[in-house]
Amino acid sequence: MMDFDAHLAAYAAHSSKSRGRRHPEPAPGSRSEYQRDRDRIIHSTAFRRLEYKTQVFLNHEGDLFRTRLTHSIEVAQIGRTLARSLRLNEDLVEATALAHDLGHTPFGHVGQDVLNECMKDYGGFEHNLQSLRVVDTLEEHYGAFDGLNLTFETREGILKHCSLTNARQLGELGQRFIDRSQPSLEAQLTNLADEIAYNNHDIDDGLRSGLLTMAQMEEVELFARHRHAVEAQYPGLPGRRALYETIRLMITAMTADLVETSAGLLAEAAPQGIDDVRAGPPLIRFSAQMRAETTALKRFLHANLYRHFQVNRMRVKASRVVRELFDAFMLDPILLPADYQVEGDPMKQARKIADYIAGMTDRYAIREHKRIFSLDQF
Ligand code: MG
């Protein structure tokens, strides 16, 4: 058998030592276990839906804004670079990154918040848990099992957060939330690659949309410093190129900081394997200074972009769509496609409706809302 782990550090997740799949399968042979996970994710239906799901801007607002699909690809790209630098498992990071948002509702975070409120008497709704549900049960691709039957390590990476109540129902996978232990370094890393990706691409999208201005962005120290470095190197460089150069430098600074800080922590803690990693403190981190600067950037984006009144208008409209769909389906489950109707069990019916709505793309949800509520459309 090929050795896929030879280049990895001792503390990496080794494909040959995976905790395995819920339904045992023969080893993939020409691929590592995590490559197989990644390939299954790419072929899934939920993955293709990411193309039409919102990140910050609704899908139809412009062709060049990030969607959950391009976001996920950017997370995978940044994650792989980081993984290679730290001799961690790139395949596992890539699989986790491509799957991390599979459970996202239409309309970004507002969709998840509203669905969670709608589901409050029926076990709630968490998008991380929904991503796991997609890969564990909802995908219908294989003859022998529901879901994609991914490895423990990929599933562990997908489940970034989880409430204690839900963790108690997840067995081995939920245990770390009860013990407060760490996931693999690859999972820790993917989480931060996610943050690097959205903090940077949201600046680009925010400026492109006109909701943010360059002058405003200069209030953010991390941005201003790199913007001035670009200006010094290329005096008078026009708008878009100057912006991309700035963002490029910011991504480089964040990844370099993360690699340097984490390499230091790893050298100090010297975990001998993934079990040591799980028992220890988080080892993939930014320096204190970079953490403070990215927090300032996040606060800025929250106040000036994510809560911009024009974004708020879409958010409020979107929340209405999700809530009205949920209420209509709960009241009259006969409006649902036959395989989503459950008789005599409101808990199960509510969960089916949450699955149905969470699986919708932005535009599908808008169309479905019209089909249900408009007297001119059927
Ligand atoms: Mg993400």
Side-chain angles (χ1 to χ4, degrees):
M1 212 181 80
M2 282 173 73
D3 183 359
F4 298 103
D5 301 329
H7 61 294
L8 299 178
Y11 44 68
H14 290 233
S15 177
S16 57
K17 292 184 206 147
S18 169
R19 288 199 197 172
R21 302 171 191 275
R22 296 200 298 169
H23 307 274
E25 293 183 67
S30 59
R31 296 174 290 173
S32 74
E33 295 288 354
Y34 306 129
Q35 278 178 279
R36 172 150 75 181
D37 282 358
R38 177 205 55 205
D39 298 347
R40 288 183 176 183
I41 291 157
I42 287 176
H43 288 283
S44 70
T45 309
F47 186 70
R48 287 194 297 282
R49 288 186 174 133
L50 295 177
E51 186 175 0
Y52 300 103
K53 289 197 183 197
T54 298
Q55 192 67 22
V56 174
F57 297 91
L58 289 206
N59 199 272
H60 60 258
E61 291 183 289
D63 290 346
L64 293 176
F65 293 123
R66 266 68 178 187
T67 65
R68 292 233 168 250
L69 180 64
T70 60
H71 162 69
S72 300
I73 293 170
E74 289 184 34
V75 176
Q77 178 270 316
I78 291 168
R80 288 185 59 144
T81 303
L82 294 169
R84 191 178 292 203
S85 304
L86 293 165
R87 291 172 59 221
L88 294 173
N89 199 316
E90 274 182 68
D91 296 333
L92 175 56
V93 167
E94 188 181 17
T96 309
L98 294 178
H100 85 285
D101 274 347
L102 288 180
H104 247 292
T105 58
F107 313 124
H109 281 277
V110 67
Q112 113 100 31
D113 294 344
V114 174
L115 208 45
N116 189 32
E117 280 166 31
C118 293
M119 289 290 289
K120 74 177 186 315
D121 296 332
Y122 308 104
F125 180 90
E126 298 175 28
H127 72 263
N128 282 305
L129 196 60
Q130 189 69 11
S131 296
L132 187 69
R133 201 167 146 72
V134 166
V135 300
D136 278 359
T137 52
L138 297 181
E139 280 288 323
E140 297 174 323
H141 267 256
Y142 299 90
F145 43 77
D146 286 339
L148 306 177
N149 198 31
L150 303 181
T151 60
F152 177 88
E153 293 75 21
T154 301
R155 297 170 61 235
E156 171 190 59
I158 291 172
L159 195 65
K160 271 195 289 200
H161 311 285
C162 181
S163 66
L164 271 182
T165 322
N166 286 323
R168 289 198 186 93
Q169 291 165 23
L170 288 171
E172 198 190 10
L173 200 68
Q175 199 55 41
R176 79 176 160 97
F177 299 98
I178 299 163
D179 301 343
R180 294 167 173 269
S181 58
Q182 305 306 318
S184 71
L185 295 167
E186 286 79 359
Q188 298 177 34
L189 184 153
T190 309
N191 210 352
L192 291 172
D194 186 19
E195 201 180 314
I196 296 174
Y198 68 67
N199 275 330
N200 285 289
H201 65 48
D202 287 352
I203 297 175
D204 181 22
D205 283 353
L207 289 167
R208 179 183 301 283
S209 66
L211 302 189
L212 296 178
T213 64
M214 269 292 194
Q216 243 182 330
M217 280 309 307
E218 300 248 356
E219 292 167 24
V220 182
E221 165 60 24
L222 187 64
F223 183 87
R225 193 168 67 241
H226 292 105
R227 174 98 172 93
H228 299 150
V230 170
E231 185 56 31
Q233 198 183 352
Y234 304 106
L237 193 67
R240 196 140 284 288
R241 280 181 200 247
L243 171 63
Y244 283 139
E245 282 290 346
T246 306
I247 291 178
R248 200 168 65 79
L249 290 186
M250 284 175 66
I251 295 176
T252 304
M254 288 183 196
T255 52
D257 180 274
L258 188 134
V259 167
E260 194 190 320
T261 308
S262 307
L265 291 169
L266 284 163
E268 211 172 296
Q272 295 305 299
I274 196 168
D275 292 336
D276 288 353
V277 167
R278 291 198 161 109
L283 294 173
I284 305 294
R285 307 176 70 149
F286 288 118
S287 65
Q289 194 200 329
M290 183 57 84
R291 177 39 82 200
E293 291 199 311
T294 56
T295 302
L297 169 60
K298 268 193 204 187
R299 277 207 197 103
F300 172 89
L301 288 172
H302 196 270
N304 297 287
L305 180 61
Y306 310 143
R307 291 294 177 269
H308 191 287
F309 85 93
Q310 274 174 268
V311 175
N312 286 343
R313 286 183 182 185
M314 272 326 298
R315 279 164 16 94
V316 171
K317 249 192 262 190
S319 65
R320 219 172 271 150
V321 169
V322 171
R323 179 176 299 282
E324 288 175 2
L325 281 177
F326 184 89
D327 290 346
F329 291 140
M330 265 323 259
L331 192 63
D332 289 309
I334 51 167
L335 298 174
L336 286 161
D339 48 345
Y340 284 93
Q341 296 184 23
V342 183
E343 249 173 79
D345 189 336
M347 284 296 277
K348 282 192 183 147
Q349 181 62 81
R351 185 58 57 194
K352 276 277 190 191
I353 293 171
D355 287 342
Y356 184 50
I357 294 176
M360 293 178 186
T361 60
D362 297 354
R363 59 186 192 175
Y364 187 93
I366 292 167
R367 280 205 301 257
E368 186 75 339
H369 188 268
K370 278 192 196 138
R371 282 192 290 262
I372 301 288
F373 291 99
S374 165
L375 292 175
D376 304 323
Q377 264 200 17
F378 294 92

